[in-house]
């Protein structure tokens, strides 16, 4: 049976000049991520995350294009590739694996979500270790969110040149007294996602980012795995092959965590408020959560934009939030992560007002700031993780996930100057990241080089080592059209965390997601139109 990844091209061969393995990154980077053999703990770090990268047809080179995957599927499968595409699209439409069609005069029109026909091969060892790290990341980000001084100090340089970060920091500072008053009874729900890529030159799994707000596609990726199982069965896959598809139910895990937060809130008729963007095309991924909350727990939900909340939300003197006389136990943000979500001061005003309520905020402004790129970079600096984690093995496990990360706060610092010079000379080795979520924001190659040359406002960005994943061959379907192309894949691991005061009530790894994009694409967001939904076929 043929699956995505059955054709892998060697693009980082000995003659490939752009391969990171043959580049010399600044000494500070290797010290930063504890991969210098002379560095403390480096042996433990490498043993934790060393992985066998999938390399089928290993003799292929970048000059030897693989045969058509679609043709091989037609030759090897019981049914043709077009029949498999039709099966996938019909199954998706029948089972709610859908997104909004984006038709202005027909807001309820739908179309199947962008997807791969077949699952993509992924090393089992890397997959399992990413899952094992999720609880630690949940703990880490929760502790970071409670360190008021750390967040303000770390993000202040970025806020100097980034109005969006500055406004969030203002809200955080203005509501500090509220968090102090309710410290022993604060109700916190976090639904996080940690994203990774395999780095082929180093043979390691590296974290791309950690999302603390609007961690999307959990429900649709639950369905993608089921659809792939259905397709593989039609191909005549054996039970052993089907067992390589790992179980995945992010929908149930997230809904159960949300229900636990509502129960902990303690009001028998309390509802969940979904804060959403107007005209959201990905509303069906969100509405699966709403449907499951009712079906599994009989919890009512409402959807409101920030502007609507400004008109309808009422917060009592005791902190109780209500919408049209319905008490809200949980505020779940699927908006508020981008400057475009705040077109006027109205949206900023309600965002700050919500910090005063006693409902669980998923996320609070402290949690949202904790997921900032600048915080990710700062946590990778030597001895910063030790501020939040006491156990050396836990610190080593987290640190082993980090790629090279550099701040650009002090351009006169010797290490910063060295990496800045190299990034200008070899921009293809780096990614320049602003404090943004949602896809389409990073700067690559010439665009990054040009921004770095200005030397203006660079503290609003971080530099990250560019991860070089193995190239697979995939069959992607978007709007019913089949595209066969070379692809890169990104693994996301979901996590759920619930805390009341100092008591942790829930801390779990909650499922997974694969997003696959064309190898020529720098960005990887599905909602932003760069990638498609996928699932892993685990290989040993």
């Amino acid at each position: 049976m043929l699956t995505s990844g059955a054709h892998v091209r060697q693009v980082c061969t000995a003659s490939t000049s752009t391969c990171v393995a043959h580049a010399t990154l600044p000494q500070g980077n290797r010290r930063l991520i504890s991969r210098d053999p002379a560095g403390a703990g480096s042996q433990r770090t490498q043993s934790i995350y060393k992985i066998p990268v999938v390399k089928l047809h290993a003799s292929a080179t970048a000059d030897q294009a693989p045969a058509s995957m679609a043709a091989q599927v037609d030759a090897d499968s019981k049914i043709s590739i077009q029949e498999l595409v039709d099966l996938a699209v019909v199954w998706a439409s029948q089972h709610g694996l859908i997104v909004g069609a984006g038709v202005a005069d027909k807001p309820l029109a739908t179309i199947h979500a962008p997807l791969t026909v077949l699952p993509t091969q992924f090393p089992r060892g890397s997959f399992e270790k990413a899952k094992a790290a999720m609880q630690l990341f949940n703990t880490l980000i929760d502790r970071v969110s409670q360190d008021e001084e750390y967040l303000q100090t770390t993000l202040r340089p970025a806020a100097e040149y980034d109005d969006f970060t500055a406004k969030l920091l203002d809200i955080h500072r203005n509501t500090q007294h509220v968090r102090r008053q309710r410290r022993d009874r604060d109700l916190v729900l976090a639904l996080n996602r940690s994203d990774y890529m395999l780095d082929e030159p180093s043979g390691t799994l590296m974290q791309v980012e950690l999302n603390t707000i609007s961690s999307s596609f959990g429900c649709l990726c639950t369905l993608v795995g089921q659809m792939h199982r259905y397709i593989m069965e039609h191909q005549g896959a054996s039970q052993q092959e089907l067992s390589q598809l790992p179980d995945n139910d992010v929908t149930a895990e997230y809904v159960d965590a949300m229900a636990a937060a509502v129960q902990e809130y303690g009001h028998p008729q309390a509802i969940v408020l979904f804060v959403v963007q107007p005209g959201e095309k990905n509303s069906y991924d969100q509405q699966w959560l709403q449907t499951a909350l009712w079906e599994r727990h009989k919890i009512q939900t409402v959807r409101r934009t920030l502007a609507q909340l400004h008109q309808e939300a009422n917060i009592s003197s005791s902190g109780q939030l209500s919408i049209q006389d319905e008490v809200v136990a949980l505020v779940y943000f699927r908006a508020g992560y981008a400057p475009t979500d705040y077109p006027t001061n109205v949206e900023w005003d309600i965002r700050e007002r919500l910090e005063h309520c006693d409902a669980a905020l998923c996320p609070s402004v402290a949690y949202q700031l904790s997921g900032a790129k600048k915080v990710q970079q700062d946590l990778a600096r030597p001895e910063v993780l030790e501020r939040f984690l006491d156990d050396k093995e836990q610190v080593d496990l987290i640190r082993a996930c980090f790629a090279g990360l550099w701040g650009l706060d002090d351009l006169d610092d010797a290490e910063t100057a060295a990496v800045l010079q190299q990034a200008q000379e070899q921009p293809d080795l780096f990614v320049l990241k602003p404090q943004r979520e949602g896809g389409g924001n990073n700067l690559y190659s010439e665009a990054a080089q040009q921004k770095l040359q200005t030397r203006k406002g660079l503290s609003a960005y971080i530099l990250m080592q560019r991860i070089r994943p193995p190239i697979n061959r995939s069959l992607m379907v978007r709007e019913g059209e089949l595209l066969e192309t070379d692809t890169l894949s990104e693994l996301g691991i979901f996590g759920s965390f619930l805390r009341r005061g100092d008591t942790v009530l829930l801390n779990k790894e909650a499922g997974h997601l694969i997003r696959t994009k064309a190898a020529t694409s720098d960005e990887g967001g599905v909602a932003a139109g760069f990638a498609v939904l996928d699932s892993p076929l685990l290989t040993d």
Side-chain angles (χ1 to χ4, degrees):
M1 184 195 69
L2 194 66
T3 60
S4 296
H7 295 285
V8 179
R9 292 208 286 180
Q10 300 282 24
V11 295
C12 278
T13 62
S15 61
T16 306
S17 61
T18 59
C19 179
V20 175
H22 302 297
T24 302
L25 292 171
Q27 178 68 25
N29 174 64
R30 292 196 294 274
R31 184 174 69 251
L32 183 70
I33 60 176
S34 296
R35 290 199 177 91
D36 186 350
S42 63
Q43 293 304 311
R44 172 178 293 280
T45 295
Q46 296 211 15
S47 66
I48 290 172
Y49 268 84
K50 195 71 177 177
I51 55 166
V53 176
V54 179
K55 284 187 168 78
L56 304 181
H57 296 203
S59 61
T61 69
D63 298 325
Q64 294 175 311
S68 166
M69 184 179 178
Q72 288 208 20
V73 170
D74 279 336
D76 297 342
S77 179
K78 291 182 176 180
I79 55 180
S80 70
I81 184 60
Q82 187 56 54
E83 288 175 306
L84 289 180
V85 171
D86 292 345
L87 281 174
V89 171
V90 170
W91 192 100
S93 301
Q94 289 176 331
H95 291 80
L97 181 49
I98 54 177
V99 295
V103 181
D105 59 343
K106 296 179 180 178
L108 297 182
T110 65
I111 192 169
H112 72 87
L115 49 83
T116 59
V117 178
L118 299 168
T120 292
Q121 293 181 356
F122 201 90
R124 186 184 300 273
S126 301
F127 178 79
E128 295 296 341
K129 288 165 185 174
K131 283 164 62 75
M134 193 63 227
Q135 285 181 292
L136 283 179
F137 275 112
N138 286 340
T139 298
L140 172 63
I141 213 70
D142 182 65
R143 292 178 181 175
V144 169
S145 73
Q146 297 179 69
D147 195 326
E148 308 263 346
E149 179 185 1
Y150 175 79
L151 287 175
Q152 287 287 330
T153 301
T154 301
L155 289 167
R156 191 174 296 125
E160 184 177 352
Y161 294 99
D162 182 357
D163 289 342
F164 182 66
T165 302
K167 286 182 179 295
L168 290 173
L169 269 186
D170 285 345
I171 294 175
H172 182 254
R173 184 169 49 253
N174 294 343
T175 56
Q176 186 178 57
H177 67 285
V178 177
R179 288 185 295 278
R180 287 177 176 173
Q181 289 171 0
R182 64 181 185 218
R183 178 67 185 84
D184 61 341
R185 64 182 189 281
D186 195 23
L187 183 58
V188 173
L189 175 68
L191 299 176
N192 304 317
R193 194 187 71 225
S194 184
D195 294 334
Y196 302 88
M197 278 186 169
L198 295 166
D199 183 59
E200 188 172 43
S202 66
T204 57
L205 188 72
M206 294 183 179
Q207 187 184 57
V208 177
E209 63 183 358
L210 194 144
N211 303 276
T212 60
I213 182 169
S214 189
S215 300
S216 60
F217 290 110
C219 297
L220 295 191
C221 73
T222 299
L223 295 169
V224 169
Q226 297 172 17
M227 183 270 293
H228 280 153
R229 182 175 297 275
Y230 176 78
I231 295 295
M232 288 173 63
E233 288 173 346
H234 276 74
Q235 281 187 290
S238 66
Q239 286 301 311
Q240 190 278 328
E241 289 171 324
L242 292 173
S243 71
Q244 293 175 254
L245 284 171
D247 292 336
N248 192 34
D249 199 344
V250 182
T251 304
E253 293 286 354
Y254 265 20
V255 161
D256 290 352
M258 296 169 87
V262 173
Q263 181 178 10
E264 181 63 26
Y265 183 80
H267 191 288
Q269 302 300 321
I271 65 172
V272 175
L273 166 64
F274 280 58
V275 182
V276 299
Q277 296 172 328
E280 170 67 76
K281 286 182 64 177
N282 192 32
S283 62
Y284 293 95
D285 181 58
Q286 304 164 11
Q287 288 166 331
W288 266 116
L289 292 174
Q290 295 179 256
T291 299
L293 273 168
W294 178 255
E295 291 181 344
R296 292 173 71 88
H297 301 284
K298 295 298 182 278
I299 294 175
Q300 296 273 15
T301 59
V302 296
R303 298 170 62 84
R304 295 291 188 274
T305 65
L306 286 168
Q308 289 171 328
L309 281 177
H310 191 268
Q311 296 294 323
E312 299 181 35
N314 179 65
I315 301 175
S316 71
S317 58
S318 65
Q320 188 176 82
L321 172 65
S322 59
I323 303 291
Q324 297 181 342
D325 297 324
E326 298 279 0
V327 174
V328 176
L330 168 62
V331 181
Y332 175 53
F333 285 92
R334 292 297 288 259
Y337 55 82
T340 52
D341 290 331
Y342 303 88
T344 71
N345 287 333
V346 162
E347 289 79 11
W348 283 113
D349 179 68
I350 188 60
R351 184 69 180 89
E352 182 166 337
R353 283 170 53 197
L354 288 172
E355 290 290 316
H356 291 261
C357 78
D358 64 2
L361 302 181
C362 184
S364 66
V365 70
Y367 251 90
Q368 184 171 348
L369 290 169
S370 299
K373 304 297 187 295
K374 179 60 184 174
V375 172
Q376 178 189 8
Q377 174 268 314
D378 194 73
L379 289 172
R381 290 194 304 116
E383 317 220 342
V384 177
L385 281 177
E386 287 82 352
R387 177 170 179 155
F388 303 103
L389 299 173
D390 299 325
D391 186 278
K392 185 180 183 302
E393 289 193 7
Q394 293 180 351
V395 169
D396 288 343
L397 178 57
I398 293 294
R399 185 164 285 133
C401 299
F402 294 147
L405 293 159
W406 298 268
L408 298 172
D409 303 346
D410 182 4
L411 301 186
D412 293 326
D413 172 76
E415 183 177 320
T416 303
V419 73
L420 185 60
Q421 180 179 349
Q422 182 172 11
Q424 290 174 295
E425 295 173 352
Q426 298 175 286
D428 287 344
L429 300 183
F430 300 89
V431 182
L432 189 61
K433 292 188 170 187
Q435 312 306 307
R436 293 292 183 272
E437 305 294 338
N441 300 298
N442 298 333
L443 299 179
Y444 298 84
S445 301
E446 185 178 348
Q449 186 180 48
Q450 291 175 352
K451 178 61 182 178
L452 291 172
Q453 287 172 347
T454 69
R455 299 178 69 86
K456 294 181 180 179
L458 293 184
S459 62
Y461 295 79
I462 67 165
L463 262 182
M464 181 174 176
Q465 169 190 352
R466 187 160 188 176
I467 304 171
R468 298 289 182 178
I471 293 183
N472 298 315
R473 193 76 174 169
S474 298
L475 301 171
M476 304 192 295
V477 183
R478 187 185 290 275
E479 297 183 357
E481 296 294 325
L482 174 66
L483 172 66
E484 177 181 344
T485 189
D486 289 344
T487 58
L488 311 174
S489 293
E490 184 172 326
L491 170 69
I493 302 295
F494 293 90
S496 55
F497 183 93
L498 181 64
R499 173 173 56 80
R500 168 73 86 173
D502 292 327
T503 303
V504 176
L505 304 172
L506 175 71
N507 185 0
K508 294 183 68 178
E509 175 269 316
H512 59 268
L513 161 73
I514 292 279
R515 288 172 295 174
T516 292
K517 64 179 181 179
T520 54
S521 174
D522 288 324
E523 296 287 355
V526 176
F530 301 107
V532 302
L533 296 172
D534 200 348
S535 61
L537 189 79
L538 300 183
T539 59
D540 294 314

